[in-house]
Amino acid sequence: MSRLNALGTNATGRTAELFTAIKAKLGKVPNAYDTIGSNSAVALEALLSFDAKLADTSLSKKEIEVIKLAVSEVSGCDYCLAAHTLMGKMAGLGPEAILAARKGNPGGDAKLDALSTFVREVAGTRGTVPQPVVDAFRAAGYTDAQVVDTIFAVTSITFTNLLNRVNDTVVDFPKAPA
């Protein structure tokens, strides 16, 4: 059960405007967005803007979803795992690639595997990321710009992971396979 306030159709003002735009794009206002917007229209607007800018980076939709899946697995966010399993499918990732991104196993695409490994290291460790980890990421074909864009994507999904873990947001997407 959710722990934070969610307004749903009772939203007013800027939150109602944001919910209308989300519903027009997605067909519904997902529970995570409902919770964020109901408590901070500023945070929801920033997150939506952040993700819109993320789409303009040097990363493909598949790469962005690999990042979001890997971080959500490391974080233990069942809500984001469910949401990004669906989004990953929509971006063209197959079931094996989705599970590989989450678990850090080989998935048949060496570059996406390197991305998942790098992201899991960045999101799952403390302190300075070891040079060999950065070198392996670059050796897989990623540029310094993509290192920065990857960290940008990690930041986006970390916010929603944390929010959903604090809120215990009710998952309103098909459950991600284990």
Side-chain angles (χ1 to χ4, degrees), residues 81-140:
L81 282 172
H84 291 287
T85 294
L86 179 62
M87 298 299 291
K89 288 177 188 174
M90 292 170 58
L93 294 171
E96 300 81 18
I98 289 170
L99 203 53
R102 288 178 48 200
K103 303 295 185 182
N105 299 326
D109 182 318
K111 193 167 182 183
L112 292 180
D113 293 346
L115 175 61
S116 174
T117 299
F118 178 72
V119 167
R120 293 173 66 76
E121 183 74 23
V122 169
T125 61
R126 296 192 179 278
T128 301
V129 173
Q131 186 66 47
V133 172
V134 178
D135 292 344
F137 190 56
R138 285 186 182 132

Side-chain angles (χ1 to χ4, degrees), residues 113-176:
D113 293 346
L115 175 61
S116 174
T117 299
F118 178 72
V119 167
R120 293 173 66 76
E121 183 74 23
V122 169
T125 61
R126 296 192 179 278
T128 301
V129 173
Q131 186 66 47
V133 172
V134 178
D135 292 344
F137 190 56
R138 285 186 182 132
Y142 287 99
T143 65
D144 286 353
Q146 288 171 312
V147 170
V148 172
D149 289 342
T150 296
I151 296 166
F152 186 61
V154 168
T155 303
S156 168
I157 192 63
T158 299
F159 172 75
T160 53
N161 278 194
L162 293 172
L163 179 279
N164 290 316
R165 290 176 45 226
V166 167
N167 186 47
D168 196 18
T169 307
V170 174
V171 179
D172 53 350
F173 294 97
K175 187 175 165 71

Side-chain angles (χ1 to χ4, degrees), residues 69-85:
L69 287 161
V71 173
S72 297
E73 182 74 25
V74 168
S75 177
C77 180
D78 61 341
Y79 188 94
C80 288
L81 282 172
H84 291 287
T85 294

